[in-house]
Amino acid sequence: MPCALAHYHELALKGRNRRFFEQRMIQHLRNSLRHHEGIQVQSLPGRVKVSFQDETPWEAIQEGIRHTFGVVNFAQAHSLPIDYATPDLLPLCQAIEARLSTQSFHTFRVTTKRGDKRFPQTSVEVNREVGGYLHEATGKPVQLNKPDLTIFIEIVDHTTYFSLGRQPGPGGLPTGMSGKVVCLLSGGIDSPVAAYRMMKRGCKVTFVHFHGRPYLSRASEEKVRDLAKHLTRYQLYSRLFLVPFGEIQRQIVVDSPAPIRVVLYRRMMMRIADQIAAKEQAWGLVTGDSLGQVASQTAENIQVVSEVPTLPILRPLIGMDKIEITNEAQAIGTFETSIEPDQDCCTLFVPPHPNTKCRSHYIRKAEEHLAIQDMVDAGLKNAELVEFSF
Ligand code: ATP
Ligand code: MG
């Protein structure tokens, strides 16, 4: 049966956390690959093995592993049993030699890891023996520093595995290891990247989007659906709450001074998201704020927005530049959707000169004129839930 070996950062994991980590990763791999017949995912000392049937294309397995957080790197592997008492590496050497005929390379190296120290030869001895054999057989020189091809050998469980090269995984912590958070997802560039960052640290992310209906068309909403769907690839199941915000904004516009409106909108979004998060049993709220990027994200305005919710607000992009965020959006594949033109609800009723230094007491005074609780209730009552699964 063909297989793949997936690796994680062992050093980053301590004690019991490691088993929990591994189990989450294995669970995610199983779920992610569940559409393919006969997949087996098992834990080996220090790595995870994915076995699949001959008919299953490697591309499909690769896609599943590439979208599993926790995996630092992985490779397709070929296995041969080995006897620890009288180890004979010749069959391994021959099997590698046979596979090498399809590879184009000039220099190579062999890198061995023993997951099982009961194996009598050291890693260096295996490198020498196999490297020597392959050099003789192919005539290609060994080059330890930056070779064209690295042949990885792993010895675990009375089996030798070899792989020709490795691919990077997404890293991070497996899905669900860090509980659930609620991300305020706009149709812009930043918030999908913020959601991705939290997923990468092991959170399940529920999305909340505030849309301008009935005053705006469905455009921003459609983008957000696409973005949520795209991000579902990483967590396999997502929930998106669509909250009508047009009427709430209209009331804010009627009853409060123009320069502080953006901050009032944000505080209203936070109140509603906070309640949704409580129902979802989430422990935090996530935004795509980056310090100083726009008026609502100045040092002062971030503080007055943070006062409102009971849950902590997580801002994974707070120290990033727009260019860095944009590069990441491109890498994760959300950029193209994010830049499609739309009318975000925040472009609705936006004042020309927003106050960049809103004071808390002044904002609270302004909110006394607003029927805050009614607005929150209306938002929650009219929220629409959309589910996505991969
Ligand atoms: P983004 O690219 O994520 O839209 P932005 O640079 O446009 O961010 P703002 O519009 O000030 O910045 O929004 C800051 C954050 O507030 C967003 O990253 C998002 O988390 C949240 N947010 C803004 N508008 C909405 C909305 N309509 N629905 C849900 N969340 C929103
Ligand atoms: Mg925006």
Side-chain angles (χ1 to χ4, degrees), residues 312-368:
I313 302 179
L314 307 162
R315 297 181 171 90
L317 313 186
I318 195 72
M320 288 174 78
D321 294 341
K322 195 77 190 184
I323 294 174
E324 294 169 313
I325 300 171
T326 301
N327 288 343
E328 194 156 319
Q330 272 162 337
I332 62 179
T334 52
F335 183 75
E336 293 304 322
T337 305
S338 291
I339 58 168
E340 282 169 26
D342 71 352
Q343 288 181 299
D344 182 67
C345 71
C346 289
T347 56
L348 186 69
F349 314 122
V350 163
H353 302 293
N355 185 341
T356 54
K357 292 187 180 185
C358 290
R359 303 251 173 242
S360 178
H361 61 89
Y362 179 59
I363 295 293
R364 274 182 285 185
K365 248 221 111 62
E367 284 181 348
E368 285 171 10

Side-chain angles (χ1 to χ4, degrees), residues 15 49 58 74 98 170 176 180 185-186 219-220 230 239 256 282 284 329 336 342-343 349 359 388:
K49 178 180 176 183
W58 168 241
F74 68 98
K180 190 187 276 184
L185 189 66
S186 68
S220 78
H230 183 82
R239 291 154 73 77
S256 52
E336 293 304 322
D342 71 352
Q343 288 181 299
F349 314 122
R359 303 251 173 242
F388 301 88

Side-chain angles (χ1 to χ4, degrees), residues 183-192 208-211 220 262 266 269-270 286-289 293-294 296-297 322 344-346:
C183 179
L184 286 80
L185 189 66
S186 68
I189 296 170
D190 307 327
S191 43
V208 177
H209 176 65
F210 299 90
H211 61 76
S220 78
V262 174
R266 283 281 180 280
M269 288 184 185
M270 283 300 165
V286 181
T287 72
D289 292 328
Q293 198 188 82
V294 288
S296 65
Q297 300 169 30
K322 195 77 190 184
D344 182 67
C345 71
C346 289

Side-chain angles (χ1 to χ4, degrees), residues 46-296:
R47 66 252 309 131
V48 167
K49 178 180 176 183
V50 179
S51 309
F52 52 98
Q53 294 184 338
D54 288 312
E55 312 79 84
T56 311
W58 168 241
E59 287 66 36
I61 301 296
Q62 192 170 267
E63 277 303 291
I65 303 179
R66 269 226 308 261
H67 289 88
T68 300
F69 289 119
V71 176
V72 171
N73 59 55
F74 68 98
Q76 183 164 16
H78 308 277
S79 63
L80 284 100
I82 190 146
D83 180 4
Y84 286 5
T86 53
D88 176 11
L89 294 175
L90 186 62
L92 173 67
C93 292
Q94 289 167 337
I96 299 175
E97 184 190 352
R99 296 272 169 184
L100 281 183
S101 55
T102 60
Q103 299 277 316
S104 88
F105 66 99
H106 295 295
T107 58
F108 75 99
R109 69 168 287 167
V110 177
T111 299
T112 304
K113 270 242 160 77
R114 289 180 306 163
D116 194 340
K117 305 292 179 210
R118 287 173 301 174
F119 187 73
Q121 283 173 275
T122 66
S123 300
V124 175
E125 286 165 354
V126 176
N127 291 345
R128 285 223 185 91
E129 190 175 330
V130 178
Y133 175 96
L134 294 172
H135 170 60
E136 286 282 307
T138 62
K140 307 268 169 90
V142 170
Q143 184 178 306
L144 297 184
N145 191 22
K146 298 202 177 138
D148 297 333
L149 175 69
T150 299
I151 299 160
F152 292 94
I153 297 176
E154 298 172 58
I155 305 174
V156 266
D157 249 6
H158 303 273
T159 309
T160 53
Y161 294 89
F162 73 89
S163 309
L164 308 180
R166 274 183 185 172
Q167 301 182 48
L173 301 176
T175 303
M177 212 183 155
S178 309
K180 190 187 276 184
V181 293
V182 161
C183 179
L184 286 80
L185 189 66
S186 68
I189 296 170
D190 307 327
S191 43
V193 177
Y196 175 85
R197 287 249 165 160
M198 295 311 297
M199 287 179 179
K200 180 167 171 179
R201 294 311 297 167
C203 291
K204 282 191 178 156
V205 180
T206 287
F207 305 106
V208 177
H209 176 65
F210 299 90
H211 61 76
R213 275 192 286 145
Y215 299 96
L216 287 180
S217 68
R218 295 176 69 91
S220 78
E221 217 179 300
E222 298 304 329
K223 281 174 63 176
V224 166
R225 282 174 193 258
D226 284 352
L227 291 167
K229 189 172 164 208
H230 183 82
L231 290 167
T232 300
R233 184 70 184 87
Y234 293 94
Q235 59 181 6
L236 306 177
Y237 170 75
S238 306
R239 291 154 73 77
L240 163 66
F241 289 89
L242 296 166
V243 181
F245 204 65
E247 180 54 29
I248 294 175
Q249 282 181 295
R250 197 194 58 79
Q251 287 178 38
I252 291 175
V253 167
V254 171
D255 288 316
S256 52
I260 63 168
R261 277 177 204 158
V262 174
V263 163
L264 294 178
Y265 300 157
R266 283 281 180 280
R267 282 167 63 104
M268 282 311 301
M269 288 184 185
M270 283 300 165
R271 288 189 181 95
I272 296 170
D274 198 36
Q275 301 269 314
I276 291 175
K279 284 202 195 117
E280 290 285 291
Q281 296 183 309
W283 63 270
L285 302 170
V286 181
T287 72
D289 292 328
S290 148
L291 188 58
Q293 198 188 82
V294 288
S296 65

